[in-house]
Amino acid sequence: MNWKLPFDIPLVVPTMGLPGWFFDTLGIIVFVVHIAFIYTLIGASTASVLYNITGVFKKSKTDDLLAYKMTNPTTISENMGALWGVAPLLVISVLYTGFFYTAILKVSPHILHIIYGNIFAFLLSYAYKFSWHSLHHHKGFHIAIGLVAVLTFYTLPPVFMSMSNLYLQPETFATVQNIWDMMLTPLTGFRLINFFLTAFSFTGIVMIYLGVKWVKAGGEDAEAGHLAIDQGKKWFMWAAPVNIAVLPLVFFAFSPRISEAYIHTPFVFAPFAASVVLTILFFFLLKRFGTSEMNLSDATKAVVLMVVAVALMATARHGIRVVSFEEPLKLQAEATEKYMNDVIAEYKAYKEEMKNAPAVVLDPAVSLADSKGCLACHSVDTALVGPSYKEVAAKGESADVLIASLKNGSTGKWGETPMPPQTLTDEEAKTLVEWVLKQK
Amino acid sequence: MFDFPIFEMPTIGLRMLMAINAIIHVFVSHGGAVGGSVVLALAAWWANKRNDMASYETVYRLLMVFFIITTSVGALTGIGMWIHANIISPNAIGGLIRVFFWKWFIEWIVFNFEVVLLLFWFMTWKQKALTPEGRAKSVRFGIFYAVSSWVTMLIITAILGFMLTPNFDGQPWVDPEVYPGNVNYNNALFNPTWFPGLAFRTFSSIAFAAALAIMWTWLITAFSKDEAIRNTREGLIKLFAKIMIVTVPVGAALGYYYLLQIPEAARAMIPTAMMTRAFADKMDLMYMIISGIGGAVVVTTIIAYFSPKRMPYIAATLMVSAFLLFWGYEERTREFIRKPFLIYNYMYANGIRVTDVPHLNKVGILKHAIFVDEEKKVIKEDKSNLIEVGHTIAQIECRACHTENGINGLKFLTKGWSEAAIRNRINNLPGGGTPYMAPFVGTEAEKDALAAYIASLNKRGEIK
């Protein structure tokens, strides 16, 4: 295996004595919350635009109301999704620093799209939401704003997923040169299918849950609630079957080293378990198909099952990390230790040498020349940007001429390159010129 | 640094790439979140106490503007700071996260409060505005939001302070001669510029936010079709001007106090930091700019206070622009005076640790450049790839601050220089009037290669 790994950061990992499983669990939990919000963001923003369109074509007020109501989960999930993305980033940065940063660097500058592209989409989604009533008579324009926002949101997962696939497979560091090398792999393809399908099924469940709440609230909201329940079921049942089939495959699309080792760990059961849970949820909803009545306890059950499925997917993903990082982490630690021992030995020797070296007494004129930047362009005996001081002294011009050259700058006397005027006091100029003239 | 893949930003350079994100973030986080939360909570409380429902409604519209900007631009450029730091200096941000992991984690928890409180405050405002009890509750959300915003600043200023003044009074934060480095977290946290920096930022943020609020109040009241809303201009602008009358002088005084805590060597760099090297000596110009900015703020504040109704839009915009300039300068200066270090006395701006230097001078910087191809890092017998190798060295050691041909470009800086002159300059980078430059690290052969590469930049296209 051609490993190319950076050194580890030579500072202790601040675990505070907490065991490894603590950080594993923490990593999984914060990731599940983050991804749940992101699923909702993708789905809810799509739903809002979709029902806005159907509302126009069917001239249905209920569709329009549902579309408007879906902008609230969009706003909440985009804020919370970004916020909860920070925690996994923090945990990964401290535990797997070298791998994570290498991946980010390899997919730069495209990775910056998750900042700037996101800001763009965020602002458009706000524009879409807050202009709902004022653009009521310009639906085409309004829908266009929402559509661009949604499509921009869709461009973010491919970028992020490419980075993540790179970082999860450190053996690819040697060969992958840029983001496209990773984006156009079957693994990224599989994971994106899995991502979007999960996002749509997840949103289906969120819609059912919100629908039940709205029905309970009564009034105008109740109609939107019924529609949400009805549509939510369809979202889930369209997206789930393919996902149930694709899900277990995803974890075998990683590099052979990882896939082969993965089979021998208990983690291999997690994706299958996730598929089973999704299947159960499918039949649970099938039994309640064809009616837009649903009670809160059923909706809650559906939410719980969905979250369990997502948590299982996250566990399966964590398993990849465990399997994949074992060897490179060890190699990295060995290499870092050797490097740091060399560095520290050399540094100590250097300090010792400095201590024993006889103190050099510098001519104050030399340090003045140094601090004024003269030595950037001049040396005593070779011509650099400007003439050597020996040459200047040999030419034998008077001190006053040279002082004038320093203060006003000089050009054409030694070559084409000019010397810019130097900022010096009269005293300093005199000291320097006297020193220069001594260099014969 | 050398052990990570190399990413170069052509033309604008890495420093500018980072600066764009950083400056936007500072504007929004200071003016929008930290200062904005205080100013708007205060305004909401004030309007509610006087039972002035029109003003209360105008404050809601102000909040909407602040909400949109802080949650999108502010929050994402905050994450952007990390991503940019990853790209520009993985070793530095990696080290900082090792030192400050738990502080960042706590900050993230506080962020949760901040975001949730803001979402709550904003999204329930309308519904709660209907009853007095509701409004009282709503105002309380605003106050808690302000407190949590400030706590996040409390934590992040510790980290900024650490980068500038990590060691002090013989209380080192790490022993560089031990591996793995055992960090003294308390010494790292309680660094001498933490509290001065925090105090200064707190007051100037509030002042900035009040200026922003004045500008937006002007806009909102000017374009509203509602007579009642239009009439709220006078009262609100006067309120914000009052806030400025208190916070501007206090912020300025604290800024001066902060300045005094900065180490001598760093402070000596301020003129260059503010004016670029060419103008570093024109101190009078620097004072003119400072007094220009200060004067603009003071004059517009006075106008706002004494004649809020007639406060011209130009004045409001001028006030905000003066603040933008001020923060831009402040950030540039703060970043610059740390040079040549990223973490003072520990790591250079190019990510090379001070302890690495003697070893790398012996074995060469390229020996551990894992991600660089052989032919770009091993000089061939016939020296045919000397320039290419030199290019790699520039990418590793110089790219943090220089580009090839754009901002602070090596080509422009060495125009008319012979290769020998360049070689000589590389010998003594921090000398020669540029104390903010890191020393060259590597072997003599690598120095030759770097000089050959830099010299080649001005030779291209010439007939040989």
Side-chain angles (χ1 to χ4, degrees), chain A residues 5-12 14 72 79 83-84 97 123 126 339 346 351 370 373 375-376 384-385 423, chain B residues 2-3 64 71-72 82 86-87 98 102 108 112 123 177 181 281 353 355-356 362 370 417 421 424-425 428 432:
Chain A
L5 305 168
F7 295 124
D8 192 15
I9 303 292
L11 298 172
V12 284
N72 271 341
N79 276 293
L83 179 65
W84 281 75
T97 321
L123 288 174
Y126 280 145
Y339 172 75
E346 200 67 58
K351 269 185 38 184
D370 188 32
L375 303 185
L384 301 167
V385 179
T423 357
Chain B
F2 51 89
D3 54 333
M64 179 157 169
T71 57
S72 59
W82 276 11
N86 290 178
I87 295 175
R98 292 270 165 109
W102 290 106
W108 174 75
N112 267 284
M123 291 176 89
E177 291 174 26
D281 304 312
R353 279 174 292 264
T355 31
D356 287 334
K362 212 160 238 177
I370 297 157
W417 291 38
N424 174 65
R425 186 75 173 86
N428 187 14

